[in-house]
Amino acid sequence: MTQPEWWRDAVVYQIYPRSFADLDGNTIGDLAGITSRVPYLAKLGVDAVWLSPFYPSALADGGYDVDDYRDVDPAIGTLAEFDELTAALHAAGIGVIVDIVPNHSSNRHAWFQEALASPKGSPARERYIFRDGVGPDCAPPSDWTGAFGGSAWEPVGDGQYYYHMFAPEQPDWNWDDPDVRAEFIKTLRFWADRGVDGFRIDVAAALAKDFSANPLPSAAELAALPAGPDHPLFDRDELDGIYAEWRAVFNEYDPPRFAVGEVWLEDKRRLARYATGESLGQAFNFDLLRADFRAADFRDIVTTNLDIAGIAGSSSTWVLSNHDVVRHASRYGLPLTTPGAPFVGQGPTWDRDRKWLLTGGTDPAQDVGLGLRRAKAATAFILALPGSTYLYQGEELGLREVADLPASARQDPSFFRNPGFEVGRDGCRVPLPWTACGPSFGFGPAGAHLPQPAWFAAYAVSVEDADRDSTLNWYRAALKLRKELLAAVGPFEWVDSPADTLHFRRGKWQCFTNFADDPVALPAGEVLLASSPVDGAVPGATTVWLG
Ligand code: NOJ
């Protein structure tokens, strides 16, 4: 990408490589498969792709357990194929963002293996977080649970435990250790030198930790502590130093490399510091992943996040789906939650997902038509906002969650570590349907690593490509029009509108969303785009762009 600020209003398309397209027929998507689909991405009109991890991994957590940060998993491709993909994307004018996973490595990483083979107190163990067991029974150093369930401490057999915020196969790095810092600088340069345009930083608020308290706080005490300088795990001040070093590396390149932090914080004001020009530059705003399709909630989220982006001198991000949550076409097909219902947080699936789980995954109350209708309305709404939009592979086809995967097919650690309680995230990671028939709907010649449902046939790219009114063609039209409209955009302003609707303008470009079920009057102006057919009035669950 040649423009330094390209990322500010970019549409970024997230690819989960193992589920995108499989060229070599090993049932796992690969880099060559993505390269073969660059024309599809170009026609869709995205500005950049973000590749979820493609590094060597035993897949204890879908690739977020990295064995080697500077290589490609042989099941997915080679470094040469990575270069080919980057070249093909760049030739199509599409930027490349890779995922950096700096909070933890995999337990197969050479340095973790070295740590296990080294004695207590050795420099090799210093790179991770090892602690002695406590008391006569050599109990874990605290009663903390990992994000996927179970203890956050794993014994290594010599009286010590290591800490893992996620699965036991994901030991946390010790960011106080200079080797660790230097290693990641090397990794950032490695990919930047290969031509990547930016980085998505996994668990960006958790790298700096303080385990000096003795005893460590209990799980209950930890839960009561707000993230921030006094929390041992999240959002500590020392992160500023880490990201300032990274920023210096990003700025060695022309244009400077871009970074977006995966930052989940309850206190939104703390988000701004990750998004400044001295730090990562942008921070994810995940609020819409936890919001129902309701005007008041959307309005609050927009106002807060535009403010935060302004404070940071950055741009906001807008996200409705990713590889960690139930697809929004399904979330929106469920009955609305009670307004103001408290957020229920537990594990990697959250309150909306919990609602899904309560239904057993195949809830007859899911209204498929309404879900997609609202999904498109919400997409048009966010595409009109100032900032950058992150799309997740398959949402452009209108895919909903595959909720009824058999237990035997599931791969997500959150499913295995929470029996009977969490179904996990596999339902949004099922390989894409490219054709209506043929093995694995055109995903690859030898089947798919997660089973695809029969209903995928109707959502296949080939089917939607040929249908003028498909979700895919609507996304293409929306992205094209957005680009044109952005060329002459004015300041963002809310416009007064009836209850349960939102209306804003950016100069001549207006966006109006009817969140209710019943139609409302169409505001004045020429209709440029509509998420559902508009005929004199704006039907329920519909967004229109007017000019
Ligand atoms: C956030 C990633 O998005 C998720 O998929 C992963 O499980 C955790 N971080 C741990 O790396």
Side-chain angles (χ1 to χ4, degrees), residues 6 12 328 341 423 437 478 495:
W6 65 269
V12 180
H328 65 285
V423 294
C437 47
V495 178

Side-chain angles (χ1 to χ4, degrees), residues 10-15 20 34 36-50 89 92-94 327 376 379 383 389-399 432 434 459 461 464-465 470-484 529 545:
V11 173
V12 180
Y13 182 86
Q14 182 191 355
I15 293 185
F20 190 69
I34 304 172
S36 73
R37 300 294 179 182
V38 168
Y40 172 80
L41 298 167
K43 191 165 174 195
L44 182 57
V46 300
D47 300 302
V49 296
W50 147 30
L89 287 165
I94 299 173
R327 284 186 179 276
K376 286 171 67 183
T379 300
L383 282 172
T389 302
Y390 285 74
L391 306 177
Y392 177 54
Q393 67 178 41
E395 69 167 82
E396 76 279 16
L397 304 173
L399 287 188
L432 292 191
W434 293 93
Y459 293 78
V461 172
E464 295 209 19
D465 196 39
S470 68
T471 308
L472 175 60
N473 280 322
W474 179 81
Y475 263 73
R476 288 170 173 161
L479 296 194
K480 182 161 179 278
L481 184 58
R482 176 184 191 268
K483 209 160 260 171
E484 289 162 17
L529 179 91
W545 291 354

Side-chain angles (χ1 to χ4, degrees), residues 61 64 101 104 148 166 170 200 202-203 262 323-324 425 429:
D61 179 19
Y64 284 88
V101 188
H104 44 267
F148 297 140
F166 295 91
Q170 294 167 294
R200 178 262 188 193
D202 193 58
V203 208
E262 189 220 10
H323 65 299
D324 286 334
R425 303 163 293 178
R429 300 175 179 183

Side-chain angles (χ1 to χ4, degrees), residues 343-505:
F343 164 70
V344 186
Q346 171 90 37
T349 47
W350 294 284
D351 52 352
R352 294 306 314 260
D353 306 50
R354 177 170 303 275
K355 197 166 88 173
W356 176 267
L357 295 180
L358 292 175
T359 67
T362 47
D363 184 6
Q366 184 189 183
D367 183 334
V368 170
L370 181 62
L372 181 55
R373 204 183 158 86
R374 285 177 173 163
K376 286 171 67 183
T379 300
F381 178 86
I382 64 171
L383 282 172
L385 289 168
S388 124
T389 302
Y390 285 74
L391 306 177
Y392 177 54
Q393 67 178 41
E395 69 167 82
E396 76 279 16
L397 304 173
L399 287 188
R400 57 185 190 274
E401 189 81 357
V402 182
D404 50 1
L405 287 170
S408 57
R410 292 204 175 263
Q411 301 173 3
D412 188 359
S414 61
F415 170 73
F416 297 110
R417 295 179 69 81
N418 297 283
F421 173 64
E422 287 219 11
V423 294
R425 303 163 293 178
D426 297 308
C428 64
R429 300 175 179 183
V430 174
L432 292 191
W434 293 93
T435 54
C437 47
S440 66
F441 299 111
F443 165 69
H449 66 99
L450 279 168
Q452 300 155 301
W455 57 261
F456 260 32
Y459 293 78
V461 172
S462 63
V463 173
E464 295 209 19
D465 196 39
D467 173 3
R468 231 171 35 124
D469 297 326
S470 68
T471 308
L472 175 60
N473 280 322
W474 179 81
Y475 263 73
R476 288 170 173 161
L479 296 194
K480 182 161 179 278
L481 184 58
R482 176 184 191 268
K483 209 160 260 171
E484 289 162 17
L485 292 167
L486 276 182
V489 85
F492 174 90
E493 288 168 305
W494 289 113
V495 178
D496 286 343
S497 66
D500 247 354
T501 68
L502 289 179
H503 189 176
F504 62 84
R505 60 161 61 246

